[in-house]
Amino acid sequence: MAGRPGAARAAGRALRAAAAANGVPWHRVVRADGGQWHPEQLARLQREGARPRPDEPLAAWAQRVGASRIGRWRDRRLAAANDPQARRWPTATVEAFADAAAAQARGFTADGQPPPPLWPEPPARRPRAGRVRSIEDRLRAIDDARVAAHLEADGLWHRPRLLAAAECADLLQHASTRRFERTIDMRAKGYGVGTYHYFSEPLHDLLQGVRRELYHLLRPIAEDWRAAVGDPYRYPATLTGFWRQCRAAGQRRASSIVLCYPQGGVNHLHRDVYGPIWFAFQALLVLGRRDTDFTGGDFVLQEERPGEAPRRRVQPLSQGDLAVFASSFRLDRSGPKPRRVPLRHGTTPITHGRRQAMGLVFHLAE
């Protein structure tokens, strides 16, 4: 309706993300930057007082609706209702708030204050007595046949408490330095509610060890799957060699990320295939404590067979847990010949607190 190819998909995602019985009229569903999809939508918002009337000063509008603060959606900036600088703000992309607390609850920055940190300062951890095995030793001790069986049956393998609490705190501290190649607001892209922070390479030593050992563990399984469905591609013996192939295909951007979901955050079902060269599996490490730092936020893996109801696997994860899952499809050998079962993954909404996790994607992105 808006004349853009992606408009139908964006509208569908908005409808899916909102509860149908929440009583909010659908003309109030607007773009993440505050813009509208149709002039009639803006006219309705103006009649309701949600936006200023044509040629109505922002200060007069704020007084009329009983607001003491005005927020600008483009950069989530907040100003007093009578702030002279706010007079130049586009009236179609503003929102009125009764007070600063109401604005902060919607993600707007308080007057003159810096934005809140992405991660709280992690608590100090006391090292445990005795020798702690390296992350490489922990992963090398895993039974690869068991991993292969779980991945083939469910598309998912879960290793509880792979990382110690002190290691998770160290990774959170590393993330707080914000050494990111790029940052993406999930809401603006229609991916969900939260933030993707793509690490610059090289990663933290611990994450490099996890990624390197997982590649060695999963490469034979990935090759077996692709060969079973007639795909002749063979993965290089090392992750470095695999990245050479990615770069030769034009995939040069980092793909390992920090995922930060606030209360109400959610990740819609999707696939992380970032180009023609891709790895069959990826991994997730959860850094926060379930039922303490956050509630909700279960990992979801959904397989979709034509003509059948989707099969959904929901896996609660907590601090230090590792989940390895199929990036695009699961191998099904139950029929006369092996076949691909398409998969997508995401999370359920965060009902309380904030959930931080590390996503390890083995292939580079275009």
Side-chain angles (χ1 to χ4, degrees):
M1 291 175 65
R4 297 185 179 184
R9 181 179 297 176
R13 284 175 173 162
L15 292 170
R16 183 173 183 176
N22 66 0
V24 177
W26 290 117
H27 67 274
R28 296 188 186 178
V29 179
V30 298
R31 288 189 342 212
D33 63 0
Q36 283 73 43
W37 293 336
H38 194 277
E40 176 60 26
Q41 184 179 27
L42 177 59
R44 292 191 181 192
L45 293 172
Q46 290 171 338
R47 288 197 295 270
E48 295 173 357
R51 294 291 186 274
R53 296 166 181 161
D55 300 324
E56 182 179 24
L58 286 181
W61 166 63
Q63 183 176 10
R64 177 167 62 87
V65 298
S68 66
R69 301 290 191 276
I70 299 174
R72 182 171 63 185
W73 270 104
R74 178 172 59 83
D75 52 7
R76 299 292 180 93
R77 183 179 173 186
L78 188 65
N82 57 357
D83 189 329
Q85 293 185 358
R87 295 173 184 172
R88 297 190 296 271
W89 289 0
T91 58
T93 59
V94 294
E95 187 162 343
F97 300 101
D99 50 38
Q104 286 181 293
R106 292 276 281 161
F108 284 78
T109 303
D111 305 12
Q113 297 296 319
L118 293 173
W119 297 274
E121 187 70 20
R125 302 289 186 183
R126 296 181 60 185
R128 294 190 301 176
R131 180 178 178 272
V132 177
R133 291 193 302 168
S134 70
I135 189 63
E136 290 83 0
D137 288 342
R138 280 173 263 173
L139 289 168
R140 289 168 189 164
I142 292 171
D143 181 358
D144 55 352
R146 183 178 180 184
V147 175
H150 278 279
L151 288 172
E152 192 164 308
D154 300 312
L156 172 67
W157 171 69
H158 171 218
R159 166 61 159 85
R161 297 181 296 279
L162 175 70
L163 301 184
E167 292 172 318
C168 293
D170 189 36
L171 291 177
L172 281 173
Q173 180 64 47
H174 175 71
S176 69
T177 63
R178 306 184 188 185
R179 295 175 57 254
F180 303 124
E181 180 184 278
R182 61 193 186 278
T183 295
I184 292 178
D185 179 359
M186 296 171 62
R187 189 195 304 266
K189 295 285 187 178
Y191 300 157
V193 178
T195 312
Y196 286 162
H197 303 278
Y198 286 84
F199 273 117
S200 299
E201 295 289 341
L203 295 182
H204 185 284
D205 289 344
L206 178 63
L207 292 176
Q208 286 195 74
V210 172
R211 187 172 60 185
R212 183 174 55 248
E213 292 303 322
L214 282 178
Y215 181 82
H216 288 308
L217 172 68
L218 298 169
R219 183 178 66 87
I221 306 172
E223 284 196 342
D224 176 55
W225 280 27
R226 295 184 76 150
V229 295
D231 187 339
Y233 179 78
R234 294 293 180 266
Y235 292 102
T238 65
L239 184 60
T240 301
F242 180 51
W243 280 8
R244 290 195 192 101
Q245 291 190 355
C246 289
R247 293 188 179 101
Q251 297 171 220
R252 298 181 176 87
R253 296 202 300 174
S255 55
S256 293
I257 60 178
V258 183
L259 306 108
C260 184
Y261 301 112
Q263 183 169 323
V266 65
N267 193 354
H268 301 323
L269 294 172
H270 66 287
R271 297 185 181 94
D272 293 317
V273 178
Y274 297 144
I277 304 297
W278 54 276
F279 195 65
F281 306 106
Q282 59 195 89
L284 180 71
L285 285 165
V286 174
L287 305 181
R289 298 164 295 175
R290 174 169 293 277
D291 298 327
T292 300
D293 299 324
F294 70 93
T295 56
D298 297 338
F299 178 79
V300 176
L301 190 67
Q302 180 168 298
E303 66 178 47
E304 298 159 338
R305 302 175 185 237
E308 299 181 18
R311 177 191 175 199
R312 174 173 287 206
R313 169 78 182 272
V314 179
Q315 179 67 60
L317 299 171
S318 190
Q319 187 178 63
D321 288 3
L322 168 71
V324 173
F325 54 96
S327 298
S328 177
F329 71 93
R330 177 178 71 82
L331 183 65
D332 183 4
R333 302 183 196 261
S334 61
K337 63 179 183 179
R339 62 171 179 165
R340 300 169 183 248
V341 178
L343 294 174
R344 294 190 299 162
H345 65 274
T347 66
T348 62
I350 306 295
T351 55
H352 176 74
R354 178 177 293 181
R355 175 181 179 268
Q356 297 97 21
M358 301 286 184
L360 299 178
V361 179
F362 297 92
H363 49 269
L364 300 178
E366 288 182 317

